[in-house]
Amino acid sequence: MKIVIPDDYQDAIHKLDAFKLLAGHEVVRHREPARDLDELVERLKDAECVVEIRERIDFSRALIERLPKLRLI
């Protein structure tokens, strides 16, 4: 499963014990926030799961409709 973590700005998620539970999955972490909706879509377009650790992203209808592979937030 492709998992994207869009707001790991502290570069800390991979240090948590819980991160080990994602072993065997393709995990992509982004440290910088997306500049706009198009950049966010580009980062999330192949994600089947997004792990939201900050409340910065508005998972609006406009965003979700552009992420056809997304199965879980």
Side-chain angles (χ1 to χ4, degrees):
M1 176 180 288
K2 181 159 185 178
I3 301 169
V4 178
I5 303 171
D7 286 318
D8 186 16
Y9 72 88
Q10 292 177 323
D11 194 27
I13 295 300
H14 68 286
K15 298 173 187 172
L16 300 175
D17 287 340
F19 189 77
K20 295 172 189 167
L21 298 172
L22 303 179
H25 297 283
E26 179 184 353
V27 179
V28 177
R29 297 177 298 123
H30 294 279
R31 295 191 61 208
E32 298 296 324
R35 293 178 300 231
D36 56 29
L37 181 61
D38 289 334
E39 183 176 352
L40 183 58
V41 168
E42 184 62 30
R43 289 180 179 186
L44 302 179
K45 70 180 182 184
D46 293 323
E48 296 170 87
C49 175
V50 174
V51 177
E52 179 69 352
I53 58 172
R54 306 279 184 256
E55 61 282 345
R56 294 180 181 168
I57 296 176
D58 175 19
F59 282 91
S60 64
R61 179 180 216 136
L63 174 59
I64 292 172
E65 286 178 345
R66 294 177 64 182
L67 303 174
K69 295 180 183 179
L70 186 62
R71 302 289 174 248
L72 181 65
I73 299 171

